[in-house]
Amino acid sequence: MSHTVEILSVGTELLLGNVANTDAQILSQGLSELGLNVFWHTVVGDNPQRAREAVAIAKKRADIILTTGGLGPTCDDLTKNVLAEAFGKKLVFDEPSADRIRNWFQRTGRPMTDNNLQQAMLPEDCTVLPNDWGTAPGCAFEAEGVHVIMLPGPPSECRPMFQYRARPYLLSLSEGVIASHTIKLFGIGESTMEAQLRDQMNAMTNPTLAPYAKEGECELRVTAKASTDEEAQALLQPTVAQVKELFGSKVYGVDVPSLEYAIIQTMREKELTLGTAESCTGGLMAKRLTDIPGASQVFKGGIVSYTNEIKENVLRVPEHLLTQFGAVSKEVAAAMAEGARRVLGCDIALSSTGVAGPDRDDWNNEVGTMFVAIATQEGTYVRALRLGARPMRERLRIQTASHAFDLARRYLAGLPYKD
Amino acid sequence: MSHTVEILSVGTELLLGNVANTDAQILSQGLSELGLNVFWHTVVGDNPQRAREAVAIAKKRADIILTTGGLGPTCDDLTKNVLAEAFGKKLVFDEPSADRIRNWFQRTGRPMTDNNLQQAMLPEDCTVLPNDWGTAPGCAFEAEGVHVIMLPGPPSECRPMFQYRARPYLLSLSEGVIASHTIKLFGIGESTMEAQLRDQMNAMTNPTLAPYAKEGECELRVTAKASTDEEAQALLQPTVAQVKELFGSKVYGVDVPSLEYAIIQTMREKELTLGTAESCTGGLMAKRLTDIPGASQVFKGGIVSYTNEIKENVLRVPEHLLTQFGAVSKEVAAAMAEGARRVLGCDIALSSTGVAGPDRDDWNNEVGTMFVAIATQEGTYVRALRLGARPMRERLRIQTASHAFDLARRYLAGLPYKD
C-alpha cells in the first residue's frame, strides 16, 4: 500500500517569514527515506478557523497527516484541539505526560506555570510520543483511515521527535525495515551524473537510487526495503559497489558528511598534519576544516594572505613570482602552498588564489579564475579552475575550497590529481 | 482593503526535502513589510493534477496568489499552464521575452535548446516581469478579483524578482507607500530587548516595531505607511531616534547588513587596515570579513593558529605566556592580537582564543570560555566571554567572532569597549 503524506505546519512565525520551514524539509527527507510519498506541505498561522479548514482539506487528500507546531501552552494547544475535533475525539488528561512535564521543570530549575499542564491533555486512545527534548508531548492516532501524528515545532525538538518517536511508529505501518547508504562524489556535475544513471534509476524499485546536489558536490542515496536489516544490506551492497565502480575516483566516500570530514579522518588515522594558505577563499578553508570537532589533531593552522605583502612577508612567496605572474597564477599558488608547508611546519599544505569577484583583478583576470595547490613531501601540484562568473561570490569560494580539499583526499588515497 | 495572500510553491525537490522553502520565507518577510497578510503557504510537486487542485483551493481563500517555481523548460512550465487554465486564459508568445532568453544564452555562451523558448509563452494580457537573473520571465495578472503573480523558483532569481518586479507591482495595489528602517544591535539578548519595548510595540500602529533575532544579534524593524515617502520617513524618524537613544552603544548601525560590513565600511572611509589572529574561531573571522565584496581594501590577512607552535613561531606569542597562562587566557589573546598587528602590518588586529568544544581543553577550561582581543596603536583590550556549553560549536564560534568585531566597531566609533 502506497501512503500519501501531508505535512501541516502551524505557526504564525512561518507566515511572517521569521523562520524558514526547516521542519518540513527534515521531515520530508525522513519520510521519503521510508518510502512514503510527501505530496503536500501546508502552513497556517495560530488561527483556529484557518487551521480547521486546512485539516479538513488534508483529511480528504492524504492518509497520513503529520503536524508540526502549535502544541505549546502559549498557542492554546491549537493543533491538538483542532485535530481532535476534526476526528471526533475528546482530549483527556494523561497523568504520565503531566509527570514528565513536572519533572522537566524541576530538572531545569524553572518555575512551572499552571498552563503548562494543559500540554498533558491528549486525544483519547492516542499513542503518546514522549518528548525528551522539551515539554510538549507528541501523539499519534488512527481514525477514519487516516494516521495523524503531531510533533512539536521547535527544530531542536521536532528533529529528535521524528527520528526516535514518529519514525518507529511509521515503520510499524510499513512492513520490514528500510536501510540506506549515501555515496559522495566530487568533480562531477549533477546533470552528468544523472545522465549516466537515469535509465538505471528509473528501472530500479528496490533498492532505489536518488541523486542530490549541493554547492558543487553530488551524492547518490541508495535505499532498500527488506524484512531484516541484513537482507536490506545485501540488497544495497551490489548497487553501492556498482556506483563506486562507475564513478571511480570521483567517489570520495560512503556515508561521510563532507570532503573536509573525510580528509580530517584519514589524516588523523595516518597521523599527518595539515595547513592552509588562502587568498581568494579568505579563511573559508580553515573555517570548514575547524568546523569539524577534533580537527585540532590534524589542522595546525593557516594563513590568510589577502595582500601581496603578506604573501611575501609571511608565506615567503618570492617577490619576482608576484611581479612576473601576478598573485592569481599557478606559480604563486604553488609558492603559497610550499611556503605554508614550511612556515606552519605541516605535512600537507593547501593553497588558493583567484578572483572571487565581483570585479576582475588588477591583472584583468576574469571572475572565476582560480588556482588551488597542494604541497607535500613528494612535491607540489596546481589545479587551474575556470568556474565562470555566473555563480555568486560565496559559491565560487565554496567550490574553490572544495577543489583544494579534493587534491588532499586524492593525495591521501594515492589517486592521480587529475582523472 | 486588507489583502490576504497565499504563497504556492511548485517543486518536487521541496517535497523530497532536498531544499528548505526559503523562497516562502523571504517572500513572507517582504509581503508582511508591505502590510499584506500571508495566511497560507502551500507546496505541491511537479504534478499537474495536484497543482490544479491547490490552485482551486487558493483561488477560493486568497485574493493574492504568489507562486514560486515550475516556470522552467524542464517542468513543462507547469505553473503557467495551470494558473492560466484556472483563470480561463490562453498562453501567448511574448516576443520581447523570447529576445531576452536568446540574449541570455548568447551572453553566457551556452547553447540554447528549443524548449527554452517555451518560457516566452505567457498568459494573455499579463504584466510581464522581466528576469534579469535567469531565463524564465515572471508575470502578473488580475482575474476574477484575484491577483496572480508568478516568480521563478531558484532563490537567486526569486529574491531579486520579488524585490525589483513583484514588490513594485504589489505597492501599486496598496494605497500610499511603505518604508522601513532596520536598527541593528549587538550585545543585548532578544528577550531583554523585547521586555524593554513590549508595551510600546503593542501600542504602536503606524509606525510598527518588530524584533528579530539571529546568531546572537538582534534587530528592530520600524515600518511606516503614508501617502508619500517623505511622510513615511517623517513617521519613522522619531521612533528610530528613540530606539537608538534607548539602546545607546548597543546599536551598531541602521540599515547595515552585518557587524563585519559596518567595520569594513568605516575602515575603508578612514583608510585603516585590519588583520586577524584566530584560534577557536579557526578562520571564521577572516571568512566573514572576506565575504564582503571589496574587503581587500581593508583586510590584509589573518593567521589561524590552531597550535601553540604556530602561536609562537608565526604570531610571536612569548612562550612563557603559553606555559604560564595556557593558550586560552587573556594574556595570550592580547599577545595574539599584538603579534598579528606586527606580523601583518595592519592598523587594527583582532584575535580569538577559547574552547569551542565538544570537550574541555587541556587546561580544563569549560566549553564556551572565550577571549577576544583588539590591538591598535592606542593599546590592547581583551574581552572575556562565558558563552556556556549549551550553544552548538558552530554557534559559539559565530558569537565569538561577532564579539571581536564588536570591539573593532566600538574602537572605530570612539565608544568604550564595555558599557
Side-chain angles (χ1 to χ4, degrees), chain A residues 71-181:
Chain A
L71 293 188
T74 54
C75 48
D76 299 320
D77 289 295
L78 179 67
T79 309
K80 276 186 314 193
N81 282 306
V82 168
L83 267 298
E85 182 194 301
F87 289 89
K89 285 180 166 279
K90 285 198 189 72
L91 293 180
V92 296
F93 191 74
D94 182 57
E95 194 53 48
S97 293
D99 273 347
R100 294 179 73 94
I101 294 166
R102 286 189 202 101
N103 285 339
W104 171 273
F105 280 96
Q106 218 154 24
R107 209 167 57 243
T108 57
R110 284 178 295 172
M112 186 182 85
T113 50
D114 275 347
N115 57 359
N116 275 288
L117 286 182
Q118 276 179 30
Q119 297 176 96
M121 296 293 288
L122 292 167
E124 53 190 340
D125 306 320
C126 71
T127 304
V128 180
L129 306 177
N131 183 349
D132 283 334
W133 304 270
T135 57
C139 63
F141 63 79
E142 187 190 353
E144 305 176 32
V146 179
H147 291 274
V148 175
I149 302 173
M150 300 185 228
L151 301 179
S156 59
E157 300 179 31
C158 186
R159 288 169 196 213
M161 284 290 284
F162 178 78
Q163 187 64 25
Y164 300 107
R165 303 286 185 262
R167 198 173 179 279
Y169 180 93
L170 290 164
L171 267 175
S172 73
L173 300 185
S174 66
E175 283 150 26
V177 299
I178 305 248
S180 72
H181 291 299

